[in-house]
Amino acid sequence: MKKIFSIVAGIAVLLAVSVFARQSAGVFQAESLKPRDSVLRVSVGEVAPDFSLPSIDGHLVTLSGYRGKKNVMLSFVPAAWAPVCSDQWAGYKPALGLFERYDTQLIGITVDNLPALSAWTEHMGGVGFPVLSDFWPHGAVAERYGVLRLDGTAERALFLIDKQGVIRFIDVYDINLRPDLADIVREMGKLPGK
Amino acid sequence: MHRIAPVIVLLLIVLSVAEARAGEPFPDLVLEGWLPAFQREYLGVDDDPPSLSDIRTGYILIEIMNMYCSHCQLDAPTVNEVYQYLDNRGYSSRVKMVVIAAGNSQFEVDFFRNKYSVPMPIFTDQNYVAYRAVGGMGTPYFFLVRKHEDGRLESVFSKAGHIKDKDRFIKAVLVAAGYNG
């Protein structure tokens, strides 16, 4: 009797875990949030504030290091393991050729610490672009750009910076929605020399 | 027995959740987005935008996906092979295949179509209307929908998640479409 009980219980637990895993896919299911909760502190035409942040591959990445070499698209997302964020960066992976076409380096930034970012991006099978941690001082770069929300997460925001370090495009999206790839490609197409 | 009863109840609940969609009525989704002429011909649709029930077939195999979903990206070659199998073996006269891209714009759909050389029709569902209408499950998600002669649609098979065993998946679809194993 105990054996039957163990087998049936085992099957039930496995099926329950299977159904749960399919529905959650390891991603936190968040409720709808206030679309925007910060005030921009930079604008198009300004030189982008410089920063250095640690990346998940162990390097320190400095924005001005790209000056004269590459355009840069900064993609701030609210938090690791959040559903829309997990979608957004995973979707950029097959589209990296589009960024290369416009000589643009995509850089992802969140306010999470490196271990959390590392585990999250590994869960996505890697993302193929530098992922930086703006964890400490908490959200300092997000704050400097004006995309740090009152709850300590970042906005879902894009900043396109040209090879001279000048901001050419800013969009702070509704945090609950994913930016359309078409908008990104359109704006990269407007960069000088394109 | 009193110890085993709650476990059996749990087992039944879990099984019912996993198979809840088979046999249920299926919504007559409006299919948005641009299609090349040969794909309109494949589906036999003239209206713009067509609905599922406009597709000239007895069964419609639907994949709900999202170009941003890494499982959908990884699954794309296998899904293409399923379409090729159905088409090459003559099943496409009875089973048509469509993809609905939840939350994706036309640009994103076109990108996915080109990136993964997707041969079957992909429709946009930028505002998640179709996605929500079929239950808002995680992607990819597959449905086989039977179109009755009176136009009524019925889900006869569903599968959550990517296709782990292509042959088994095809067999399950064909059996659900009335072909003998």
Side-chain angles (χ1 to χ4, degrees):
Chain A
M1 187 63 182
K2 277 187 179 174
K3 196 173 177 183
I4 294 172
F5 176 82
S6 302
I7 292 169
V8 174
I11 292 170
V13 168
L14 282 174
L15 282 168
V17 167
S18 160
V19 169
F20 176 77
R22 286 200 311 245
Q23 291 184 347
S24 65
V27 170
F28 178 72
Q29 301 302 307
E31 59 190 38
S32 188
L33 299 169
K34 184 178 177 182
R36 190 169 169 174
D37 197 21
S38 61
V39 179
L40 267 177
R41 298 181 64 188
V42 295
S43 56
V44 170
E46 286 180 19
V47 173
D50 199 19
F51 61 81
S52 294
L53 287 174
S55 79
I56 55 171
D57 67 3
H59 295 102
L60 195 67
V61 172
T62 300
L63 178 63
S64 57
Y66 292 95
R67 192 84 55 90
K69 299 173 189 165
K70 285 262 189 189
N71 306 300
V72 174
M73 178 73 85
L74 300 180
S75 168
F76 286 87
V77 296
W81 303 104
V84 179
C85 310
S86 301
D87 254 15
Q88 185 180 341
W89 282 5
Y92 290 157
K93 189 174 176 182
L96 290 176
L98 294 175
F99 291 90
E100 286 166 16
R101 187 184 302 168
Y102 294 102
D103 208 14
T104 298
Q105 177 63 58
L106 175 64
I107 295 177
I109 305 177
T110 85
V111 298
D112 299 282
N113 65 13
L114 283 173
L117 276 178
S118 189
W120 179 46
T121 52
E122 191 178 322
H123 175 79
M124 291 191 276
V127 293
F129 54 86
V131 172
L132 312 185
S133 167
D134 187 20
F135 178 67
W136 201 258
H138 187 78
V141 173
E143 173 70 7
R144 177 67 190 86
Y145 279 71
V147 290
L148 187 66
R149 294 168 65 94
L150 289 177
D151 66 0
T153 60
E155 299 284 6
R156 189 177 312 287
L158 293 170
F159 295 85
L160 181 58
I161 299 159
D162 70 16
K163 291 179 184 174
Q164 281 67 53
V166 176
I167 300 173
R168 294 292 177 184
F169 169 70
I170 301 172
D171 213 336
V172 181
Y173 292 80
D174 178 338
I175 195 170
N176 306 292
L177 303 175
R178 187 181 51 232
D180 188 342
L181 191 58
D183 295 345
I184 295 171
V185 172
R186 184 191 63 236
E187 294 303 326
M188 288 193 297
K190 294 178 187 173
L191 284 167
K194 290 291 169 189
Chain B
M1 186 62 193
H2 67 282
R3 291 176 62 190
I4 208 170
V7 179
I8 291 173
V9 169
L10 175 60
L11 184 61
L12 290 172
I13 289 171
V14 168
L15 285 171
S16 69
V17 168
E19 301 298 331
R21 302 210 154 264
E24 288 183 0
F26 198 85
D28 192 9
L29 306 172
V30 175
L31 303 169
E32 304 278 0
W34 173 86
L35 281 188
F38 76 93
Q39 290 185 342
R40 297 185 76 85
E41 191 178 333
Y42 163 76
L43 296 176
V45 294
D46 300 319
D47 293 342
D48 202 13
S51 295
L52 267 185
S53 61
D54 294 329
I55 297 174
R56 285 185 210 146
T57 187
Y59 291 85
I60 308 154
L61 179 59
I62 303 166
E63 182 196 16
I64 308 290
M65 55 74 75
N66 164 9
M67 82 142 255
Y68 288 86
C69 146
S70 55
H71 293 294
C72 304
Q73 296 160 11
L74 292 171
D75 215 22
T78 307
V79 177
N80 289 352
E81 286 171 15
V82 170
Y83 169 85
Q84 299 291 6
Y85 183 94
L86 296 176
D87 203 33
N88 293 343
R89 303 294 179 99
Y91 293 110
S92 59
S93 58
R94 186 161 166 187
V95 183
K96 301 289 186 193
M97 198 166 165
V98 300
V99 177
I100 296 175
N104 295 156
S105 66
Q106 186 65 57
F107 181 92
E108 291 165 336
V109 162
D110 292 341
F111 173 80
F112 191 88
R113 179 189 285 122
N114 294 331
K115 177 81 182 178
Y116 297 101
S117 304
V118 179
M120 56 276 190
I122 312 182
F123 294 97
T124 63
D125 181 29
Q126 190 159 13
N127 297 316
Y128 298 95
V129 174
Y131 171 76
R132 292 196 184 97
V134 300
M137 306 296 280
T139 53
Y141 204 99
F142 298 86
F143 295 95
L144 182 69
V145 174
R146 181 182 179 191
K147 182 180 152 189
H148 291 269
E149 287 186 5
D150 60 4
R152 190 166 42 88
L153 300 174
E154 175 195 6
S155 170
V156 293
F157 168 82
S158 65
K159 182 196 176 317
H162 71 281
I163 299 170
K164 291 176 188 153
D165 183 332
K166 181 188 68 182
D167 295 338
R168 198 170 162 189
F169 177 79
I170 289 171
K171 187 174 180 185
V173 167
L174 291 177
V175 168
Y179 291 99
N180 294 323

